[in-house]
Amino acid sequence: VSAQRIVNAYADRNKAGGRGEWVRYGSPGIVTRTTCGVGPVRALHEMNGVLYAVSGSGLYSIASNYVATNLAAGIVGTGPVSLANNGTQIMIVNGEFGWTYDATAGLAQATSVFFYAANTTDFFDDYFVFPRNDTNNFFHSDLLDGQGYVFDNFASAESDSDYIVAVKALGQFLYIFGTRTIEPWYDAGASDFPFRRYDGAAIKRGCIAPLTVNQIDTRLSFLGDDFRFYLLAGASLTPLSNPAIEQHWQKFDRADDAHCIPFNWDGHTFIYVVFPSANETWCVDTLTGRWHERESFDDQNRTIRWRANATAKAYGKTWIGDYLSGKVGTLDDTVFTEFDEPFTTELVTPNLSNGSRRGFMPALTLETQAGVGLNTGQGEDPKWVL
């Protein structure tokens, strides 16, 4: 019905008083700042003003002068991981195992028999909290200790008979995401188990992809079991996707491995939804509600999903990790490459119709802000072709 696309650009309302209600801006490029091993970059995380990266099986610190230091190795897998910190320890889970890192003990696997496989982790009221995969239970660590666990440090979400897939703290509540429901819990300070369910506040909507659960400003995002993309505030759900996009997503062979890359840029809050198995990246601008796509090129000049695989805010910059390598860079709207490789912007208009009658277009005006060509190399002789 609609052939329109916006690729590697985003729409914003025209605030300058010029022609047209909307203007399109090119997406920012990525300046390579450092390299952490061979990659892929599986997570970026800030603790106490220091940026950390999980790249390949290694954990790295990245200083403000862009020097990367290999701190440890042994983080199994290649897919995205979930991180949280308590100010001293970083907790890392990959869906099967868990590790803690601190400057004194280094990287150590959580070997307690009461630590279970978990898709995600978060820090809530001095505890690391986890979903126990393939059950309706979630569990927590000892107080301020990601290595300590006891047999009775778990509870169950029972508003429905679904499995828990993710946990996320927001304000005074800990949200327990299941395959069909979401339950908010709070810290009651009880001696047997510190958290209690907020009665009557269960939300009848599940999450299909655990790593799409992210905090976006004062809300949580997630991909629902109905293939709609939501923002959650309190007990209120706001769908951000539209039927056309949802129908497209439903055709994917796999969507449970999707993950999100959220960041603020130029007054906008963008949430990039990455579908690794489908090789696509979609983005919603929560300010305007408009969607666009991101695409990159691989080393054989084939179109692939956006190379961004992780993000974090540190040293006053927005950092991006590469899924094709161990490169880590920062967003910059004055460059037109990402990790030193070019990318293109594509704008496709909607179909134009004159009610099945012959139509005439006497003129076409394309208003753009022109760039400056280079003296030599790519861009030395730019042309418009119509």
Side-chain angles (χ1 to χ4, degrees):
V1 176
S2 175
Q4 60 185 329
R5 295 182 73 201
I6 299 181
V7 182
N8 295 336
Y10 63 94
D12 195 6
R13 292 191 180 276
N14 190 349
K15 304 178 181 65
R19 296 182 185 177
E21 182 181 1
W22 294 88
V23 62
R24 277 74 182 172
Y25 294 98
S27 296
I30 303 173
V31 178
T32 302
R33 299 298 187 182
T34 191
T35 300
C36 300
V38 297
V41 180
R42 305 165 63 190
L44 295 172
H45 187 76
E46 182 272 334
M47 182 177 75
N48 296 333
V50 178
L51 179 65
Y52 295 87
V54 177
S55 179
S57 63
L59 178 67
Y60 297 78
S61 66
I62 302 173
S64 59
N65 63 354
Y66 312 132
V67 174
T69 303
N70 191 347
L71 302 174
I75 302 171
V76 178
T78 58
V81 291
S82 177
L83 276 67
N85 78 83
N86 61 12
T88 302
Q89 291 177 322
I90 296 176
M91 189 78 217
I92 307 166
V93 297
N94 71 345
E96 185 177 4
F97 305 108
W99 298 265
T100 59
Y101 172 82
D102 64 66
T104 302
L107 185 71
Q109 186 172 341
T111 57
S112 170
V113 295
F114 303 114
F115 178 87
Y116 309 103
N119 293 317
T120 68
T121 183
D122 207 356
F123 186 68
F124 182 63
D125 285 5
D126 292 338
Y127 300 94
F128 289 113
V129 188
F130 315 82
R132 183 177 179 181
N133 290 352
D134 301 324
T135 73
N136 67 340
N137 298 334
F138 67 100
F139 64 101
H140 67 81
S141 68
D142 290 348
L143 200 67
L144 294 172
D145 183 9
Q147 285 290 330
Y149 303 86
V150 295
F151 73 96
D152 59 351
N153 63 354
F154 73 92
S156 58
E158 299 177 343
S159 62
D160 205 330
S161 59
D162 55 340
Y163 288 164
I164 297 174
V165 297
V167 297
K168 195 67 179 178
L170 181 65
Q172 298 179 342
F173 293 101
L174 176 68
Y175 288 86
I176 310 300
F177 286 80
T179 56
R180 291 195 298 269
T181 58
I182 304 169
E183 291 185 4
W185 288 58
Y186 65 97
D187 188 352
S191 57
D192 55 344
F193 187 80
F195 311 131
R196 292 289 185 268
R197 182 174 59 206
Y198 195 87
D199 291 335
I203 302 166
K204 293 297 183 179
R205 177 56 59 210
C207 174
I208 196 175
L211 293 179
T212 62
V213 179
N214 278 273
Q215 181 175 348
I216 311 297
D217 300 325
T218 59
R219 297 169 290 182
L220 298 179
S221 72
F222 69 98
L223 180 61
D225 58 339
D226 57 352
F227 284 88
R228 304 182 84 181
F229 194 75
Y230 290 95
L231 283 182
L232 170 63
S236 175
L237 285 179
T238 302
L240 294 180
S241 53
N242 58 60
I245 291 176
E246 294 154 14
Q247 185 184 49
H248 179 73
W249 291 347
Q250 289 176 24
K251 297 176 182 177
F252 294 163
D253 292 334
R254 184 179 180 186
D256 63 311
D257 60 344
H259 65 278
C260 285
I261 304 174
F263 57 77
N264 296 309
W265 183 260
D266 195 27
H268 299 254
T269 299
F270 294 113
I271 310 174
Y272 290 86
V273 189
V274 181
F275 295 93
S277 296
N279 200 25
E280 294 186 13
T281 300
W282 291 76
C283 178
V284 61
D285 179 355
T286 62
L287 178 66
T288 64
R290 295 294 186 100
W291 286 82
H292 65 270
E293 300 172 65
R294 287 300 299 261
E295 292 180 349
S296 299
F297 295 114
D298 65 9
D299 55 2
Q300 298 184 37
N301 205 34
R302 295 174 301 191
T303 300
I304 57 174
R305 69 167 170 102
W306 192 29
R307 291 180 59 170
N309 206 42
T311 187
K313 191 83 172 180
Y315 314 125
K317 296 180 174 65
T318 300
W319 294 76
I320 300 292
D322 186 14
Y323 95 93
L324 287 182
S325 71
K327 293 180 179 180
V328 180
T330 57
L331 292 179
D332 190 327
D333 59 5
T334 66
V335 301
F336 307 99
T337 58
E338 47 188 27
F339 300 117
D340 310 308
E341 297 294 336
F343 68 97
T344 61
T345 296
E346 182 179 1
L347 305 176
V348 182
T349 70
N351 291 313
L352 303 178
S353 172
N354 191 29
S356 298
R357 296 186 298 271
R358 180 177 295 179
F360 297 90
M361 184 175 293
L364 172 67
T365 301
L366 183 64
E367 296 187 10
T368 72
Q369 178 181 1
V372 178
L374 301 179
N375 291 327
T376 59
Q378 173 88 19
E380 64 178 334
D381 186 23
K383 290 183 174 66
W384 287 98
V385 179
L386 183 62

